[in-house]
Amino acid sequence: MKCIVCMTHVPDTASVIKIGADGKHIDESGIKWIVSPYDEYALEEALLLTESKGGEVTVVTYGPQRAEAGLRECLARGAHNAVHIVGGESTLGDSLAIAKVLAAALKDREHDVVLCGIKGVGTDNAQVGPMLAELLGLPHVSGVTKIEWSDASIVAHREVEGGYEVVESPLPAVITAQKGLNEPRYAALKGIMAAKRKPVEKLEVGALGLDESALAGVEATYSVRSLELPPAKEAGKIIQGEDDPKAAAAELVKLLADEAKVF
Amino acid sequence: MAGILVFIEQRDGSIRKGSLEALSEAKRQAAATGWPVAAVLAGEGVSGSAAGLGAYGASQVFVADDPNLKLYSAEGYSEAVAAAVEKVSPDAVFFSATAMGRDLAPRVAARLGVGALADVTGLSLDGDTFVATRPVYSAKAFATVDTAGKKPQVIGLRPNVFSAEESGGSAEVVNLDALSFSIRAVVKELVSSGGGEIDVAEADVIVSGGRGLKGPENFALMRELADLLGAAVGASRAAVDAGWIDHSHQVGQTGKVVSPSLYIACGISGAIQHLAGMSSSKIIVAINKDPDAPIFKVADYGVVGDLFHVVPAMIEEIKKIKGA
Ligand SMILES: Cc1cc2nc3c(=O)[nH]c(=O)nc-3n(C[C@H](O)[C@H](O)[C@H](O)COP(=O)(O)OP(=O)(O)OC[C@H]3O[C@@H](n4cnc5c(N)ncnc54)[C@H](O)[C@@H]3O)c2cc1C
Ligand SMILES: Nc1ncnc2c1ncn2[C@@H]1O[C@H](COP(=O)(O)O)[C@@H](O)[C@H]1O
């Protein structure tokens, strides 16, 4: 099986977010960048699949120079190839533009399955996978928590409110991974050493044959007017209840009923 | 024509609340511009539900009624939405950002060659351009965004944030015939889990438990409070990873994003990844024995104390109020 994994390199989820000088991006100083957690599930699934059925895993990212570190991490865990489409803003959010770039890079590359994360942590868009599927003319299944693989098809569980859907799809298809699909492995020291010697293929966005009249070769479909920190929240009413939990509970319930009017 | 088209989600023929919220919001937004509001509904045997959408603001409802559309599929449903888009050439297409809406909206947008604004929590109009607010970086920041001049503007509205309201009115029902489907990814079955429990993603009240519960058996206490309030039971990842409760209950970055009117967090520290999933709740209540727990920073109300003493006492007090 030839597996493509789309990886996005994002600020560590525990990062403190500060707004950058332009008021539209984050201030990147002090940010630690990681492989987006859902992409780890996507990669793990591809690794497990090729370990059992043979084939190879190619990880693709579209992003600035630093995203190469994310590709190295994936190579260290066992991916066979890495493709870095260099470009784009450092904090991407234009899902269709990203999907167009990825589609252009993937269309002539053999693939039985394309795996994405359900969402990129940070943009929290959850859009690139289905958009990529549409552009590549493939079916997709998103938010997958379980997959049974056959040679030319899959049966997958897709998480929905109050349950799950059982979806059958032919391959090739685009899958987006949800937590629960598997337990991602860590990179072993041997893998980390080996990854240093594996090549990372570099592609320029301009060379993908997209509309070059627009910035970076892709027309914008999403624009950020401003980025702000959440408004400071007024301090809540916190009741000390260590000594008399019963009285504290009664006071809380009274506040919820009379002031917040929630019951 | 112009206006706003709203995708309406149904399950077993009943319209989902999030879709009524999206439709109501479309109606409110359209009031300023005088735009018409239309709806599109796909399924099998759903025509009967269509006319009722007039009450929420739709003047026209396009219905794709087909056995192939009985269960959701991105390919089939996007065909129906695209057909309705062709009919009304809308300025915007709204979805409710449910599991279905978040799957369908990007597929439709790519098909129409436009971007999409996902999981929006605030919306206004600047001329005929929608300006949306959406949480990013796990709700540690808010972005104000638009679709860079592209139309139709595809917008997903976070459930439970916009209100559903009947505005009175009636809708003309138009059948979308002659749709041709090639559905490759086929939903064979919709399996409900949890024996009909309310899903946290849809609940108006959530009682959530974390590692402070100490063990799976103590989720019974959460359930007791939840039952009393007609609430769903949520959980932190620590509780889920410990195997105390199923992942479908997890709230947060790698769980569900919720916006109930009341969120009660018991024995949950309030890690940033948990807050990412619940900080847009209207009223947040925290019960935690550590006065410095970060959950108290986002809480509207809280009790510093042992949940095993505080929660049973709360249950008694609420029973008194409810006269039970
Ligand atoms: C990539 C990533 C994604 C993540 N996604 C999620 C997610 O989706 N959802 C999520 O929740 N977490 C997520 N996490 C994990 C998160 O960082 C925290 O580890 C987790 O939320 C902690 O759960 P907790 O608050 O239940 O446990 P703890 O942090 O251990 O807190 C337990 C709390 O219970 C209190 N307590 C203990 N005993 C009592 C008592 N008797 N009475 C009252 N209070 C008591 C303690 O004071 C403490 O504050 C994620 C982490 C990462 C790295
Ligand atoms: N710049 C990118 N390069 C490669 N893959 C990406 C990129 N952005 C998003 N993806 C993929 O699309 C998924 C969803 O991202 P998003 O739509 O931004 O939430 C991610 O988990 C990745 O698998």
Side-chain angles (χ1 to χ4, degrees), chain B residues 65-151:
Chain B
D65 208 324
D66 191 299
N68 291 313
L69 300 176
K70 182 170 174 15
L71 291 173
Y72 170 68
S73 78
E75 293 163 277
Y77 279 39
S78 61
E79 187 70 39
V81 177
V85 165
E86 189 140 306
K87 293 238 192 286
V88 291
S89 309
D91 287 278
V93 187
F94 285 10
F95 293 82
S96 175
T98 57
M100 189 189 291
R102 294 202 77 171
D103 186 71
L104 182 59
R107 182 109 204 180
V108 167
R111 179 176 171 142
L112 300 172
V114 296
L117 311 178
D119 204 22
V120 164
T121 55
L123 195 62
S124 64
L125 263 173
D126 172 4
D128 57 5
T129 300
F130 278 108
V131 181
T133 314
R134 53 185 307 272
V136 290
Y137 298 102
S138 317
K140 281 181 276 185
F142 282 80
T144 303
V145 298
D146 61 45
T147 60
K150 299 286 178 299
K151 286 202 173 161

Side-chain angles (χ1 to χ4, degrees), chain B residues 141-219:
Chain B
F142 282 80
T144 303
V145 298
D146 61 45
T147 60
K150 299 286 178 299
K151 286 202 173 161
Q153 305 167 76
V154 175
I155 300 173
L157 304 179
R158 180 178 285 192
N160 273 337
V161 171
F162 300 88
S163 62
E165 59 180 339
E166 291 191 48
S167 44
S170 60
E172 174 202 359
V173 177
V174 183
N175 283 312
L176 293 169
D177 310 314
L179 297 179
S180 66
F181 305 108
S182 69
I183 300 171
R184 292 162 294 178
V186 180
V187 176
K188 291 291 184 189
E189 195 186 350
L190 175 57
V191 180
S192 355
S193 50
E197 266 185 84
I198 313 171
D199 192 286
V200 286
E202 298 189 305
D204 197 40
V205 179
I206 297 172
V207 178
S208 237
R211 202 187 326 252
L213 280 177
K214 310 257 187 314
E217 66 284 0
N218 294 323
F219 264 97

Side-chain angles (χ1 to χ4, degrees), chain A residues 62 94 96-98 100-101 205 210-212 214-220:
Chain A
Y62 167 44
D94 188 335
L96 187 71
I98 295 165
K100 279 185 178 166
V101 168
V205 180
L210 293 155
D211 174 11
E212 292 193 38
L215 197 69
V218 203
E219 221 186 333

Side-chain angles (χ1 to χ4, degrees), chain A residues 13 15 38 122 134 137-138 140 142 161-162 164 166 168 179 223 225-226 228 233 237 239 241 259, chain B residues 11 99 102-103 107 137 140 142 144 146 184 186 188-189 191 199 250 253-254 273 298 300-302 304:
Chain A
T13 57
S15 300
Y38 293 97
E134 178 70 24
L138 296 179
H140 82 264
S142 73
E161 296 84 1
Y164 60 90
V166 181
E168 213 175 283
K179 182 184 180 236
S223 111
R225 294 188 173 200
S226 65
E228 280 159 81
K233 192 154 177 171
K237 294 195 176 158
I239 306 157
E259 191 179 275
Chain B
R11 199 182 276 183
R102 294 202 77 171
D103 186 71
R107 182 109 204 180
Y137 298 102
K140 281 181 276 185
F142 282 80
T144 303
D146 61 45
R184 292 162 294 178
V186 180
K188 291 291 184 189
E189 195 186 350
V191 180
D199 192 286
Q250 186 181 318
Q253 181 140 54
T254 39
Q273 298 91 351
V298 299
D300 299 284
Y301 300 95
V304 179

